[in-house]
Every structure is written in C-alpha cells, then in structure tokens.
Amino acid sequence: MFARRRFAVLKDLLEYVGIEPGRLHFSWISSAEAAKFQETVLAVTEAVKALGPAKHMIKDIRKVA
Amino acid sequence: MSTTQEIAAQIREAAKRLLSEGKVDCVIGFAQGTVPMREYPYFAYTPEEAENLTWSRFCCNNLSNFLVRRPKGQADKVAIVAQGCVSRNIVGLIKENQITREQVYILGVASPGMVDRNKVQALFPLKTITEVTEDGDELIVKGLGFEERVPTKKVLRQNCYTCVMRNPVIKDEMIGEESAPTHGGNIDKVAAPWEKLAPEERWAAFQETFKDCIRCYACRDACPLCYCHVCFVDEARPQWCGKTQDEADVATFHILRAFHCAGRCTDCGACESACPVGIKMRKLTSMIEKDIRELYGYTPGMDLESQPPLSVYKPNDPQEFIK
Amino acid sequence: MADKILAKDKLGEFLGQLKKDRQVFGPQAVEGKAQWAPLQAEKDLLWEFSNTHLSPKDFFFPQTECMMRFVNQASDEQGMIMQAEPELKQARALVNIRPCDAKAMQVLDLIFVQDQMTDDFYWRDKRDKTLLVGLACNDPCPTCFCTSMNCGPHSSTGLDALLVDLGDKLLLRTLTDKAQALAEGLPEAAKADLAQAAGLKKAAEESITSRVGMDQVNAREVMDLYEAGLWDRVQESCLNCGTCTYCCPTCHCFDIQDEVQGTIGRRVRNWDNCMSWLFTVHGTGHNPRGTKKDRVRQRFMHKFKYIPMKRGGEIGCVGCGRCVQLCPVNIDVRRVVNDMNA
C-alpha cells in the first residue's frame, strides 16, 4: 500500500522524462495466483518486445569514449 | 515593509541577545560574501561574531541544511535564521526525526525573494561584475567599466516567483513583519515544463537541461533533504550508479535524486543556486511535487501535524496503472 | 626569439596556419559564458573575457577517460590482455588560453610526468600534441590572485607562445620550438610596441589587489598547520561538494574503475575529489578522512603545503579564482590561505 504511492510517482516521473510507458508495469499478484502471474509475464514481455530495444538510459561501453 | 538592511540589523540584535543570555550556543545566519551576490552561511558563537551577520536578497543557501550536518557535540542548541522555505524544511527534518523542535530556536523572517546571480550575469554577458548592492526595489550593478540599475523583480530566482509561503511556518521569534504569503505566481502553471511536450520529445529536453552537469553533486550537498550518510551514488557494493560522464550515468543520478526528494521538496531553490554550471533541476523536481499535490493533496513542510505523503497510504489511493 | 607583431587583420592567416595540421580550440561565447569550443570561424574567438567558465584541464585529463579495453572470455586468445586506447590522432592548439591556466598545466606536468616510473602516458600524449597559444590578461578580475601564486597576468610559463593585445595589433612572443613556425614572416615588434606591452603588463599586475601570503605557510611545520584551529571554522559551511575541485585547473585526483558488459570490459578513469566521503574510504569501512573537516583541510593542505614541499616550491594553485566565484558557500581560498599564513 505504501509502495503503491511510490510507484505512482515513479511511473509519472519516468514518463515525464521520456521513458516509454510500456516499459514499466505494475501488478498485484498473490502467491496463489499462478495463472495471473503467467498471463502478466506474457503481457509484459509482449509489450516490451513491441517497443523494441530501449533507446534511453542505455550505456554501451563499446561505444562511449 | 522593512528593508533587508533593517532586517539584518534586527537579526544581529536578536543574535547578540540570544548568545549573551546563553539561550543558544550558536546562531546560524548569513555573512557578507567576498564575491558579489553570494552571502555565505555563517556560524556566530559570540555576541561579537554576531556583528558579522547579515540579511539580503543574496542569501541563496538553505540554512536548515546545516542543522543536520553539524559535527556531534558542537553547539547543541542553535538559533537559525529562517524564511518560509527554510522553516518548511525544518518542519520536514523534525517530521523525519532528524532534529527535535526543542533543539532549534527559529528566528523567523519573511523572504523578500532571492536574486538569481546567473540572471544578473546574463544581463552583462562576459563582463566582470565587481559589486552588487540593493537599493529599494533595484540592484545597483557595478563592473569593470560599467554601472547600471536593474529592477530586482526581474532577476529573482524562478522558485521565488511561485513561492507559496514566504513567511516562516514555525518560529520562536519574528524578525521584521510578515509579508503577503505568496509572491503572486502560480506554481502549477510553470511546474513540469516538459509535460506539454510529446512523449518522444521529452528525453531530449531532459538531456538538454542536464548536459552541462559535471557531477560535483553541489545540488545534492546544498539540499536539506539529502542528509543520507552515504548517498546511493557513493555506494560501492553494489555500485548503483556508474561514475562516468555517460548520459545514462548522469541521468541515473538526477532522476533518482529527484525521486528520493518526492513529497519532501519545498522548492527552496538551493540546488539551482549552488550549481556551478547553471542547471535548472527544478524542471525535474517541480514535476514530482506537482504530481504529489495532484495525487495526494500535499505540500511539504506546511505544518508539523500532517503526515508525509509517501509514509502513509489510503485504501482508495489511485491505482489505475496497476493491472 | 624576438617578439613579432601580428596585425589583427592578419589573424585569419595566423589561425589558418595553425589549422593546417591541428584542430584548433578557443574560448567562445556559449550561452552567455566564455567556454572552450572547437574554433570554426575567426570571429567566434573571444578577446575580451576574464577567463573561461571552467578550466581547460579536460583537454589533457578528461573527466571520463577510457584507458584500456579487455575481453573476458576463455575462448578469446587475447582474453584478459588489456588493449591500450589509441593515442590522440590529431594535434591540437588551444588559442587564447589564459596564462594562469597554462601555468596550471605546467604544475600538472610535474605530477603526471615525474620519472620513468611515474609517466602518465594519457596526460603526456595529449600535452605533447597540443600547442598552447596564450593571451595575456590586460584586465584581471577582482578574484584573480595569480601574482601571489608563482604566476601573473602576462606570465608565459607553460605556454608555447604568448599574445599581448595592443589594440589594433597583437604582440606575438614565441616561447618554444613548437611555436617557431607561427612567427615566420611576421615583422619584428618595434620599441614602442615592446614598451606598450611592458606597460600593459605592469598595469595588469598592479590592478591585481588580492594578495595571498605564503611565507608563513612555507615556514610552518606540517603538523602545526594540520592541527591549526582554523579548520574548525573553514569546514563549517562547506557542503563537501566537488565544485571547487572540478572547476580547478590544478586539481587532478582520479578514480579508476573497470566497467564490464557481458564478456567485454574497459578500464576507465574519472575525476574524483577529496571532498567526497567515498574518496578515501577503505575496503574495511575505515575512512582516514572520515569527517568533513578532514576533507576540507586536505584540499588546502595538498595545494599549499604538500605540493610546495614535494615539488620544489611549486604551488597547487595558480590564482585563477574560479573556486572563489563558484563555491556555493563562498569558501574563499584567499581567505583560507591567509589564515594558514597567519
């Protein structure tokens, strides 16, 4: 419940600086909800794949001086 | 309204009285700097030292910062000169159990709005300014080969225009009279400037704002919220944040520092005033505080009673983003 | 090497000659501040400015510098054999560098390049390939105190050539063999020109009113200074940020780290500063400079006591005044050194 507030702010902050919304997902899943867990993981993976490789916050030490 | 010079004289008198009566061991205020537009935090331990205290529109540090960074055993009972934002940060420090109310004697003062030295310098590009003095509503700016008057209203710090509380929210003694609580500006109109950009334009705006960062951490170190003994950027095991000038490392520092201040920032502007390269980090922090106001109806440091928004919850808090 | 005269309308040719086999940089007005940038057009080069906002030390000692790269893979024959980063490919010239900054590079030479064992390739490579053409200060700032720091507004130490602005023309004084070619074909300075330059030098030196004394700092024992009461007051307002060290032309501390990404990695060095808590903390958790006072004291003792003791009287400060202007809490190095000198 405390985390919910922090995540709400974090989500808005990351979108504000230009991180695509599809890269950040939140879900309530109890340890008894295996099916929901599976569905969520699939949905997250698909959403991130659809966006393609991240463009920001990426440090590639092969490229940087 | 009293002039800042009159307030300064009253601060000196109050400080001398408190020190000579033994009510406090130290008075934290400002003394006149050795360069124009830069008064500096000063610690007066004797009535004689209190003579060095001053007050002006060039007092850009947040003095509450020095309540939590003092070496142990050095002056346990202190008096502090506090305008609106500083008093709100003192409230924050009390709520976060960093200091007690009893430990600090607050010499409250209404903020006249502080001058942004970068704005004044920008009026005289590449010229050397040698002296700036206040004269009523104007600044007299003297430099090598010039002297001009500048309306003070034009060169205040951005955060001072949209200040929501110029008067101290808690105090033991008021120096001078209270002023109108706000400066007239509306923070919600100017906060979060990148919100009006398209999502794909925002990263570029963020990068442009922070491109000159040299990672000196003056913004963090000038901030009364950043009292962690070990900041996350200084953690070595694990090392959360790279040390290089790579965009990702610099961005990580600024995003996370801003996030750590969520629901706590009083928009005092000390970070921007401290920055040696003129970065406007309020473009980031103002968004978070606007978000906190919209989501939880909270403005940091306004009173001792209300609970910090990220330390509590309500069953019906917004959660559309959770699937 | 007689002094020459460079007419200002011949400046294009002068810069053109420099550009022939070098990349040329100069102070330019960027966002209202004097800043170093590659010089595209002659008109962009600043002549009237106090000094660049930040020091030019990053031309030789970049804030982040990759030193070598490696592959961490058993199948790779070169695995874990460090590959040095390539040398600087093109020679460079810094035009209109101020004498204090050139002096600072000379002080840093004494630290980065000492003997066979202490010979920093990365520093030396860039120094060797960079020509410094200085511009004498005719109008020093109130924060300048170079004349107290083995330097001066017309000082030529560390420079390859010095320009003195005489109004419609420049006096060119070549100082090293590297710069000889620049003076070729230029007319010799007349007596009146030399007299004018000498007058400007005298006037500039006299206009520097900030005085910092070093005689007692030099005379006092290390421990006497170390344990002096002044540090209790100096450290009070210090934020322990890195502004003073990062804007300083002579601060040169760094931190080396290996960065790894999958099977590849690089060794990189970054600026570090003695104000940081992390600077000297040991693996055990012990920190020999555990308090703010320890850290603040280190900066001043290093510059004004340790370096002079170890480097034959050279000072780790050139009096450029950047830290005086930029310190968020106005810790004025002139005041501190004068307190040390008391």
Side-chain angles (χ1 to χ4, degrees):
Chain A
M1 296 295 239
F2 294 107
R4 181 169 62 181
R5 283 195 165 196
R6 289 170 195 218
F7 283 144
V9 177
L10 180 65
K11 179 181 182 292
D12 290 348
L13 174 61
L14 291 181
E15 285 176 21
Y16 177 64
V17 297
I19 304 287
E20 304 96 322
R23 296 196 188 276
L24 194 63
H25 297 257
F26 298 89
S27 194
W28 297 112
I29 309 174
S30 127
S31 58
E33 297 178 299
K36 187 178 177 190
F37 179 75
Q38 191 219 14
E39 282 161 23
T40 309
V41 170
L42 283 175
V44 169
T45 321
E46 270 166 36
V48 175
K49 271 187 186 158
L51 283 166
K55 295 189 281 290
H56 313 312
M57 299 293 282
I58 296 300
K59 180 173 171 183
D60 185 347
I61 65 170
R62 281 168 304 196
K63 287 182 194 144
V64 292
Chain B
M1 280 297 285
S2 310
T3 64
T4 52
Q5 289 93 337
E6 287 162 358
I7 298 285
Q10 291 177 49
I11 288 172
R12 285 191 287 272
E13 286 317 306
K16 276 188 267 183
R17 170 168 42 79
L18 291 169
L19 288 166
S20 56
E21 286 173 2
K23 268 198 150 172
V24 298
D25 308 319
C26 174
V27 178
I28 307 177
F30 283 94
Q32 195 189 343
T34 59
V35 292
M37 301 179 280
R38 182 93 86 190
E39 319 297 37
Y40 68 95
Y42 183 76
F43 302 74
Y45 295 93
T46 63
E48 293 72 41
E49 287 176 356
E51 281 296 338
N52 294 324
L53 290 167
T54 191
W55 180 249
S56 72
R57 287 171 179 269
F58 313 128
C59 298
C60 293
N61 296 109
N62 188 321
L63 292 181
S64 69
N65 195 23
F66 297 96
L67 293 175
V68 279
R69 291 173 198 246
R70 295 186 63 66
K72 281 209 165 52
Q74 198 179 5
D76 291 328
K77 175 86 184 170
V78 296
I80 183 169
V81 177
Q83 69 272 41
C85 51
V86 175
S87 73
R88 289 171 58 202
N89 279 106
I90 295 172
V91 166
L93 291 170
I94 294 170
K95 283 193 198 180
E96 292 174 10
N97 297 318
Q98 296 303 310
I99 53 170
T100 60
R101 179 68 187 88
E102 297 68 41
Q103 201 179 318
V104 51
Y105 187 97
I106 299 169
L107 292 168
V109 53
S111 175
M114 297 301 163
V115 166
D116 181 339
R117 61 205 306 273
N118 290 334
K119 278 191 189 175
V120 177
Q121 182 64 65
L123 295 174
F124 308 96
L126 304 178
K127 294 210 171 140
T128 302
I129 296 172
T130 54
E131 188 187 343
V132 181
T133 44
E134 287 181 70
D135 184 26
D137 294 332
E138 289 183 320
L139 299 180
I140 305 170
V141 184
K142 288 183 193 166
L144 296 181
F146 69 94
E147 177 173 337
E148 274 187 50
R149 298 178 81 91
V150 174
T152 312
K153 240 186 355 199
K154 280 193 174 170
V155 290
L156 293 184
R157 302 188 299 179
Q158 288 305 111
N159 61 304
C160 291
Y161 293 122
T162 51
C163 176
V164 295
M165 181 40 90
R166 295 201 285 175
N167 298 314
V169 293
I170 52 170
K171 59 183 178 287
D172 294 285
E173 189 176 322
M174 187 72 193
I175 306 283
E177 53 289 271
E178 294 206 342
S179 73
T182 75
H183 210 283
N186 181 350
I187 181 67
D188 287 320
K189 281 194 178 151
V190 289
W194 307 326
E195 263 178 359
K196 45 183 180 293
L197 299 178
E200 59 276 13
E201 294 168 350
R202 292 180 182 177
W203 184 263
F206 171 46
Q207 289 306 308
E208 175 64 21
T209 301
F210 290 92
K211 71 179 190 315
D212 292 331
C213 178
I214 54 170
R215 297 191 69 175
C216 66
Y217 303 141
C219 48
R220 172 194 75 181
D221 298 327
C223 177
L225 307 176
C226 281
Y227 51 69
C228 287
H229 171 54
V230 181
C231 175
F232 76 96
V233 290
D234 289 336
E235 291 272 8
R237 285 186 298 188
Q239 184 177 300
W240 305 105
C241 181
K243 302 280 184 192
T244 75
Q245 284 298 94
D246 188 71
E247 171 182 299
D249 290 341
V250 178
T252 302
F253 164 60
H254 285 289
I255 292 174
L256 280 180
R257 192 189 94 80
F259 183 61
H260 285 177
C261 299
R264 308 163 64 217
C265 173
T266 62
D267 205 15
C268 74
C271 48
E272 290 191 353
S273 294
C275 181
V277 293
I279 294 171
K280 301 292 175 202
M281 42 293 263
R282 290 180 58 255
K283 289 182 179 177
L284 203 52
T285 55
S286 68
M287 176 270 157
I288 301 178
E289 292 314 319
K290 180 166 172 256
D291 209 27
I292 293 279
R293 286 193 294 279
E294 286 168 0
L295 289 169
Y296 311 116
Y298 186 85
T299 302
M302 298 303 276
D303 61 73
L304 283 165
E305 292 74 34
S306 59
Q307 288 174 302
L310 297 190
S311 303
V312 290
Y313 67 87
K314 284 185 182 153
N316 60 347
D317 278 337
Q319 62 165 18
E320 307 76 57
F321 63 97
I322 299 177
K323 283 172 224 140
Chain C
M1 302 183 203
D3 292 344
K4 301 291 172 92
I5 287 296
L6 172 62
K8 281 198 176 160
D9 55 11
K10 294 273 197 289
L11 197 62
E13 291 164 35
F14 180 78
L15 294 173
Q17 197 192 342
L18 272 177
K19 274 188 186 173
K20 253 193 239 159
D21 40 17
R22 295 180 195 86
Q23 194 182 6
V24 178
F25 297 84
Q28 295 164 51
V30 182
E31 292 164 358
K33 289 181 212 151
Q35 300 192 41
W36 284 99
L39 192 63
Q40 310 296 349
E42 180 196 329
K43 63 169 174 38
D44 296 334
L45 185 63
L46 285 179
W47 294 91
E48 286 177 29
F49 65 106
S50 55
N51 201 350
T52 50
H53 188 66
L54 298 174
S55 95
K57 75 176 168 192
D58 61 338
F59 281 107
F60 310 100
F61 173 44
Q63 182 158 10
T64 295
E65 179 170 36
C66 180
M67 306 172 82
M68 49 193 87
R69 294 175 186 272
F70 55 88
V71 179
N72 185 9
Q73 205 170 27
S75 59
D76 191 307
E77 283 192 9
Q78 293 291 304
M80 288 318 283
I81 296 178
M82 298 278 190
Q83 301 296 331
E85 279 292 279
E87 299 175 15
L88 194 63
K89 285 187 191 70
Q90 200 189 3
R92 304 179 300 192
L94 305 189
V95 181
N96 285 4
I97 183 173
R98 288 300 189 187
C100 54
D101 287 337
K103 168 72 190 174
M105 298 309 116
Q106 181 254 332
V107 171
L108 288 184
D109 283 341
L110 301 175
I111 289 158
F112 280 113
V113 184
Q114 295 177 16
D115 51 36
Q116 213 178 351
M117 296 303 291
T118 308
D119 178 3
D120 190 299
F121 161 80
Y122 303 92
W123 170 271
R124 184 166 45 77
D125 178 48
K126 297 181 193 69
R127 282 284 283 148
D128 286 348
K129 291 173 182 164
T130 309
L131 190 79
L132 298 186
V133 180
L135 176 64
C137 287
N138 288 341
D139 298 300
C141 293
T143 47
C144 293
F145 57 107
C146 52
T147 47
S148 302
M149 294 287 125
N150 295 342
C151 190
H154 285 232
S155 160
S156 56
T157 313
L159 288 169
D160 293 295
L162 176 72
L163 296 168
V164 184
D165 194 338
L166 301 178
D168 57 346
K169 59 193 171 191
L170 299 157
L171 182 104
L172 171 68
R173 181 169 298 156
T174 51
L175 300 150
T176 62
D177 293 342
K178 263 204 265 185
Q180 278 312 309
L182 297 176
E184 269 169 33
L186 292 176
E188 271 193 30
K191 269 203 176 137
D193 299 326
L194 294 174
Q196 191 187 349
L200 288 167
K201 176 173 187 269
K202 188 162 178 281
E205 284 170 357
E206 281 170 358
S207 75
I208 294 176
T209 50
S210 289
R211 291 263 179 273
V212 174
M214 282 287 288
D215 51 319
Q216 289 307 308
V217 178
N218 292 330
R220 288 172 77 173
E221 291 294 325
V222 170
M223 289 315 288
D224 176 35
L225 274 172
Y226 187 87
E227 285 162 356
L230 71 109
W231 305 116
D232 288 318
R233 295 312 291 265
V234 174
Q235 61 95 24
E236 274 183 316
S237 60
C238 180
L239 303 175
N240 262 188
C241 73
T243 299
C244 52
T245 53
Y246 287 177
C247 72
C248 176
T250 60
C251 273
H252 54 271
C253 288
F254 55 80
D255 177 40
I256 297 178
Q257 293 205 326
D258 282 359
E259 293 189 326
V260 175
Q261 182 179 317
T263 56
I264 61 157
R266 64 170 188 165
R267 181 158 295 173
V268 59
R269 74 170 167 195
N270 296 292
W271 288 0
D272 201 352
N273 73 86
C274 52
M275 298 290 133
S276 161
W277 167 87
L278 189 62
F279 187 68
T280 47
V281 72
H282 291 181
T284 60
H286 170 66
N287 194 340
R289 289 194 208 111
T291 69
K292 190 165 85 168
K293 176 175 147 183
D294 297 327
R295 300 191 278 273
V296 174
R297 174 171 56 195
Q298 168 61 19
R299 180 161 195 272
F300 295 105
M301 288 293 280
H302 191 188
K303 289 186 166 312
F304 299 99
K305 190 64 189 172
Y306 308 148
I307 289 180
M309 282 172 71
K310 290 188 145 188
R311 307 274 163 247
E314 293 285 355
I315 308 170
C317 171
V318 293
C320 73
R322 286 188 180 92
C323 59
V324 180
Q325 290 165 4
L326 295 177
C327 173
V329 292
N330 188 233
I331 294 178
D332 191 320
V333 60
R334 298 169 296 181
R335 196 182 266 185
V336 176
V337 179
N338 279 331
D339 284 351
M340 289 170 79
N341 203 49

